[in-house]
PDB file of all heavy atoms in Angstrom:
ATOM      1  N   TYR A 155     100.112 126.233  74.516  1.00 97.00           N
ATOM      2  CA  TYR A 155     100.931 125.077  74.125  1.00 97.00           C
ATOM      3  C   TYR A 155     101.060 124.152  75.329  1.00 97.00           C
ATOM      4  O   TYR A 155     101.879 124.388  76.211  1.00 97.00           O
ATOM      5  CB  TYR A 155     102.324 125.540  73.662  1.00 97.00           C
ATOM      6  CG  TYR A 155     102.288 126.387  72.404  1.00 97.00           C
ATOM      7  CD1 TYR A 155     102.045 127.760  72.469  1.00 97.00           C
ATOM      8  CD2 TYR A 155     102.495 125.814  71.154  1.00 97.00           C
ATOM      9  CE1 TYR A 155     101.993 128.540  71.313  1.00 97.00           C
ATOM     10  CE2 TYR A 155     102.450 126.585  69.995  1.00 97.00           C
ATOM     11  CZ  TYR A 155     102.197 127.942  70.086  1.00 97.00           C
ATOM     12  OH  TYR A 155     102.151 128.702  68.937  1.00 97.00           O
ATOM     13  N   ILE A 387     111.086 114.020  68.402  1.00 98.00           N
ATOM     14  CA  ILE A 387     112.008 114.786  69.252  1.00 98.00           C
ATOM     15  C   ILE A 387     112.023 116.259  68.832  1.00 98.00           C
ATOM     16  O   ILE A 387     112.116 117.152  69.683  1.00 98.00           O
ATOM     17  CB  ILE A 387     113.425 114.157  69.273  1.00 98.00           C
ATOM     18  CG1 ILE A 387     114.277 114.794  70.373  1.00 98.00           C
ATOM     19  CG2 ILE A 387     114.144 114.284  67.953  1.00 98.00           C
ATOM     20  CD1 ILE A 387     113.761 114.615  71.775  1.00 98.00           C
ATOM     21  N   SER A 388     111.871 116.539  67.535  1.00 98.00           N
ATOM     22  CA  SER A 388     111.811 117.954  67.104  1.00 98.00           C
ATOM     23  C   SER A 388     110.560 118.631  67.655  1.00 98.00           C
ATOM     24  O   SER A 388     110.576 119.816  67.984  1.00 98.00           O
ATOM     25  CB  SER A 388     111.826 118.059  65.573  1.00 98.00           C
ATOM     26  OG  SER A 388     113.098 117.700  65.087  1.00 98.00           O
ATOM     27  N   GLU A 389     109.481 117.870  67.756  1.00 98.00           N
ATOM     28  CA  GLU A 389     108.252 118.427  68.333  1.00 98.00           C
ATOM     29  C   GLU A 389     108.465 118.783  69.805  1.00 98.00           C
ATOM     30  O   GLU A 389     108.002 119.829  70.284  1.00 98.00           O
ATOM     31  CB  GLU A 389     107.097 117.426  68.199  1.00 98.00           C
ATOM     32  CG  GLU A 389     105.815 117.917  68.833  1.00 98.00           C
ATOM     33  CD  GLU A 389     104.615 117.008  68.580  1.00 98.00           C
ATOM     34  OE1 GLU A 389     104.781 115.910  68.004  1.00 98.00           O
ATOM     35  OE2 GLU A 389     103.495 117.405  68.969  1.00 98.00           O
ATOM     36  N   VAL A 390     109.182 117.925  70.527  1.00 98.00           N
ATOM     37  CA  VAL A 390     109.480 118.204  71.941  1.00 98.00           C
ATOM     38  C   VAL A 390     110.240 119.526  72.067  1.00 98.00           C
ATOM     39  O   VAL A 390     109.880 120.397  72.871  1.00 98.00           O
ATOM     40  CB  VAL A 390     110.305 117.038  72.564  1.00 98.00           C
ATOM     41  CG1 VAL A 390     110.929 117.467  73.896  1.00 98.00           C
ATOM     42  CG2 VAL A 390     109.420 115.817  72.767  1.00 98.00           C
ATOM     43  N   PHE A 391     111.277 119.692  71.247  1.00 98.00           N
ATOM     44  CA  PHE A 391     112.045 120.947  71.292  1.00 98.00           C
ATOM     45  C   PHE A 391     111.133 122.134  70.963  1.00 98.00           C
ATOM     46  O   PHE A 391     111.236 123.194  71.577  1.00 98.00           O
ATOM     47  CB  PHE A 391     113.211 120.904  70.300  1.00 98.00           C
ATOM     48  CG  PHE A 391     114.313 119.926  70.663  1.00 98.00           C
ATOM     49  CD1 PHE A 391     114.860 119.083  69.695  1.00 98.00           C
ATOM     50  CD2 PHE A 391     114.804 119.853  71.956  1.00 98.00           C
ATOM     51  CE1 PHE A 391     115.885 118.192  70.023  1.00 98.00           C
ATOM     52  CE2 PHE A 391     115.829 118.962  72.297  1.00 98.00           C
ATOM     53  CZ  PHE A 391     116.370 118.129  71.321  1.00 98.00           C
ATOM     54  N   GLY A 392     110.258 121.948  69.983  1.00 98.00           N
ATOM     55  CA  GLY A 392     109.368 123.030  69.548  1.00 98.00           C
ATOM     56  C   GLY A 392     108.388 123.451  70.628  1.00 98.00           C
ATOM     57  O   GLY A 392     108.220 124.650  70.910  1.00 98.00           O
ATOM     58  N   ILE A 393     107.742 122.485  71.268  1.00 98.00           N
ATOM     59  CA  ILE A 393     106.753 122.825  72.307  1.00 98.00           C
ATOM     60  C   ILE A 393     107.450 123.536  73.470  1.00 98.00           C
ATOM     61  O   ILE A 393     106.978 124.560  73.971  1.00 98.00           O
ATOM     62  CB  ILE A 393     106.016 121.554  72.805  1.00 98.00           C
ATOM     63  CG1 ILE A 393     105.225 120.902  71.670  1.00 98.00           C
ATOM     64  CG2 ILE A 393     105.079 121.892  73.960  1.00 98.00           C
ATOM     65  CD1 ILE A 393     104.698 119.505  71.993  1.00 98.00           C
ATOM     66  N   ALA A 394     108.606 122.997  73.892  1.00 98.00           N
ATOM     67  CA  ALA A 394     109.329 123.615  75.014  1.00 98.00           C
ATOM     68  C   ALA A 394     109.755 125.039  74.663  1.00 98.00           C
ATOM     69  O   ALA A 394     109.703 125.944  75.504  1.00 98.00           O
ATOM     70  CB  ALA A 394     110.548 122.767  75.381  1.00 98.00           C
ATOM     71  N   MET A 395     110.136 125.241  73.401  1.00 98.00           N
ATOM     72  CA  MET A 395     110.547 126.578  72.969  1.00 98.00           C
ATOM     73  C   MET A 395     109.373 127.561  73.089  1.00 98.00           C
ATOM     74  O   MET A 395     109.520 128.658  73.631  1.00 98.00           O
ATOM     75  CB  MET A 395     111.044 126.520  71.522  1.00 98.00           C
ATOM     76  CG  MET A 395     111.474 127.866  70.976  1.00 98.00           C
ATOM     77  SD  MET A 395     111.559 127.876  69.182  1.00 98.00           S
ATOM     78  CE  MET A 395     109.822 128.061  68.766  1.00 98.00           C
ATOM     79  N   PHE A 396     108.204 127.166  72.589  1.00 98.00           N
ATOM     80  CA  PHE A 396     107.046 128.072  72.681  1.00 98.00           C
ATOM     81  C   PHE A 396     106.650 128.327  74.137  1.00 98.00           C
ATOM     82  O   PHE A 396     106.207 129.410  74.484  1.00 98.00           O
ATOM     83  CB  PHE A 396     105.846 127.492  71.926  1.00 98.00           C
ATOM     84  CG  PHE A 396     105.918 127.707  70.435  1.00 98.00           C
ATOM     85  CD1 PHE A 396     106.020 126.632  69.562  1.00 98.00           C
ATOM     86  CD2 PHE A 396     105.898 128.989  69.899  1.00 98.00           C
ATOM     87  CE1 PHE A 396     106.094 126.831  68.184  1.00 98.00           C
ATOM     88  CE2 PHE A 396     105.969 129.197  68.526  1.00 98.00           C
ATOM     89  CZ  PHE A 396     106.069 128.120  67.667  1.00 98.00           C
ATOM     90  N   ARG A 397     106.820 127.337  74.978  1.00 98.00           N
ATOM     91  CA  ARG A 397     106.383 127.475  76.374  1.00 98.00           C
ATOM     92  C   ARG A 397     107.349 128.311  77.222  1.00 98.00           C
ATOM     93  O   ARG A 397     106.935 128.936  78.191  1.00 98.00           O
ATOM     94  CB  ARG A 397     106.243 126.082  77.026  1.00 98.00           C
ATOM     95  CG  ARG A 397     105.053 125.282  76.503  1.00 98.00           C
ATOM     96  CD  ARG A 397     105.067 123.862  77.068  1.00 98.00           C
ATOM     97  NE  ARG A 397     105.206 123.831  78.512  1.00 98.00           N
ATOM     98  CZ  ARG A 397     104.208 123.993  79.375  1.00 98.00           C
ATOM     99  NH1 ARG A 397     102.986 124.198  78.908  1.00 98.00           N
ATOM    100  NH2 ARG A 397     104.430 123.955  80.668  1.00 98.00           N
ATOM    101  N   ILE A 413     111.631 124.748  63.557  1.00 96.00           N
ATOM    102  CA  ILE A 413     110.529 123.880  63.992  1.00 96.00           C
ATOM    103  C   ILE A 413     109.245 124.264  63.241  1.00 96.00           C
ATOM    104  O   ILE A 413     108.166 123.851  63.597  1.00 96.00           O
ATOM    105  CB  ILE A 413     110.338 123.904  65.519  1.00 96.00           C
ATOM    106  CG1 ILE A 413     110.097 125.315  66.013  1.00 96.00           C
ATOM    107  CG2 ILE A 413     111.521 123.330  66.252  1.00 96.00           C
ATOM    108  CD1 ILE A 413     108.727 125.475  66.460  1.00 96.00           C
ATOM    109  N   ILE A 417     105.146 120.654  64.486  1.00 96.00           N
ATOM    110  CA  ILE A 417     104.051 120.228  65.371  1.00 96.00           C
ATOM    111  C   ILE A 417     102.816 119.931  64.516  1.00 96.00           C
ATOM    112  O   ILE A 417     102.071 118.995  64.771  1.00 96.00           O
ATOM    113  CB  ILE A 417     103.769 121.306  66.447  1.00 96.00           C
ATOM    114  CG1 ILE A 417     105.043 121.546  67.282  1.00 96.00           C
ATOM    115  CG2 ILE A 417     102.617 120.892  67.340  1.00 96.00           C
ATOM    116  CD1 ILE A 417     104.968 122.724  68.253  1.00 96.00           C
ATOM    117  N   PHE A 521     113.780 126.237  79.527  1.00 98.00           N
ATOM    118  CA  PHE A 521     113.592 125.545  78.237  1.00 98.00           C
ATOM    119  C   PHE A 521     114.195 124.137  78.291  1.00 98.00           C
ATOM    120  O   PHE A 521     113.525 123.148  77.994  1.00 98.00           O
ATOM    121  CB  PHE A 521     114.222 126.398  77.121  1.00 98.00           C
ATOM    122  CG  PHE A 521     114.445 125.691  75.810  1.00 98.00           C
ATOM    123  CD1 PHE A 521     113.373 125.206  75.062  1.00 98.00           C
ATOM    124  CD2 PHE A 521     115.738 125.519  75.306  1.00 98.00           C
ATOM    125  CE1 PHE A 521     113.586 124.558  73.833  1.00 98.00           C
ATOM    126  CE2 PHE A 521     115.957 124.887  74.086  1.00 98.00           C
ATOM    127  CZ  PHE A 521     114.883 124.397  73.356  1.00 98.00           C
TER     128      PHE A 521
END
Side-chain angles (χ1 to χ4, degrees):
Y155 295 84
I387 192 61
S388 290
E389 177 174 6
V390 165
F391 291 135
I393 297 169
M395 179 198 79
F396 280 116
R397 289 173 51 82
I413 57 110
I417 301 172
F521 165 64

